[in-house]
Amino acid sequence: MRKHISIANKIDCTGCRACEQLCPQGCISMQPDSEGFIYPRVDENACINCGICVDNCPQLVRPTIKNMLTEPSVFAAKIKDRDTLLKSSSGGVFSALAHSILEQGGVVFGVAFDKDLVARHTYAESVEQISSMRGSKYVQSDTGDTYQKVKTFLELGRTVLY
């Protein structure tokens, strides 16, 4: 029996690339559909049916949350620096969190448009590098190999904001 990622309904996939990055055989590639959204495609000849892709898909396997609140707590924040606020969205909270992590020697991951105006996940190790990550993008973003990079930074003992 085949046990690999198979997307029958597009609503079951966000294009996060977790399956692709976790596959020990490297047999999953992300391919765009006719509208440009990416979905996994499995090379069934290379697949060993380990099921890692299915077992770790955040859309197919929903975690059970113990002690879940029946009414959510809500927090609101707004950065006080007017210049940063005007260059940001969502109250500039990303900038405040990013600055804090970078001051600790951490790494900040976010989304920026590349030269072709594709929203891609990237990372910053300095305050100067986060400006392109500010602002909402409202499009599907390409996570690339950022999960693997996060793992590497964490293994090096670095704090990561994703």
Side-chain angles (χ1 to χ4, degrees):
M1 182 173 116
R2 291 257 181 230
K3 186 174 181 189
H4 61 68
I5 205 83
S6 178
I7 306 301
N9 188 348
K10 290 181 179 183
I11 199 164
D12 292 332
C13 181
T14 63
C16 75
R17 293 185 179 260
C19 58
E20 175 192 48
Q21 291 188 43
L22 288 168
C23 178
Q25 294 300 107
C27 66
I28 301 174
S29 62
M30 300 301 286
Q31 302 295 319
D33 68 0
S34 61
E35 297 173 314
F37 293 99
I38 58 172
Y39 295 96
R41 182 167 298 146
V42 178
D43 176 352
E44 294 192 24
N45 294 321
C47 180
I48 59 172
N49 297 309
C50 65
I52 290 173
C53 55
V54 174
D55 295 341
N56 289 280
C57 175
Q59 286 297 102
L60 299 177
V61 179
R62 302 290 172 128
T64 302
I65 301 171
K66 294 180 181 179
N67 302 322
M68 187 170 177
L69 298 173
T70 55
E71 293 185 29
S73 297
V74 177
F75 299 94
K78 180 175 139 182
I79 198 162
K80 291 181 179 180
D81 179 63
R82 183 142 175 81
D83 184 50
T84 302
L85 181 62
L86 292 174
K87 295 175 185 174
S88 304
S89 57
S90 302
V93 174
F94 166 76
S95 294
L97 294 172
H99 279 261
S100 177
I101 296 298
L102 293 169
E103 285 174 1
Q104 299 171 42
V107 183
V108 174
F109 283 77
V111 177
F113 286 113
D114 68 11
K115 63 181 174 43
D116 298 317
L117 294 178
V118 174
R120 297 194 188 278
H121 286 247
T122 186
Y123 69 92
E125 296 184 83
S126 71
V127 172
E128 296 77 29
Q129 294 174 309
I130 66 166
S131 62
S132 63
M133 297 178 193
R134 288 187 184 120
S136 300
K137 309 304 184 285
Y138 299 114
V139 294
Q140 183 183 39
S141 57
D142 185 352
T143 60
D145 63 352
T146 56
Y147 301 138
Q148 293 168 343
K149 288 179 180 173
V150 166
K151 182 180 180 198
T152 299
F153 284 125
L154 291 172
E155 288 171 343
L156 292 171
R158 309 256 323 255
T159 301
V160 174
L161 171 64
Y162 194 97

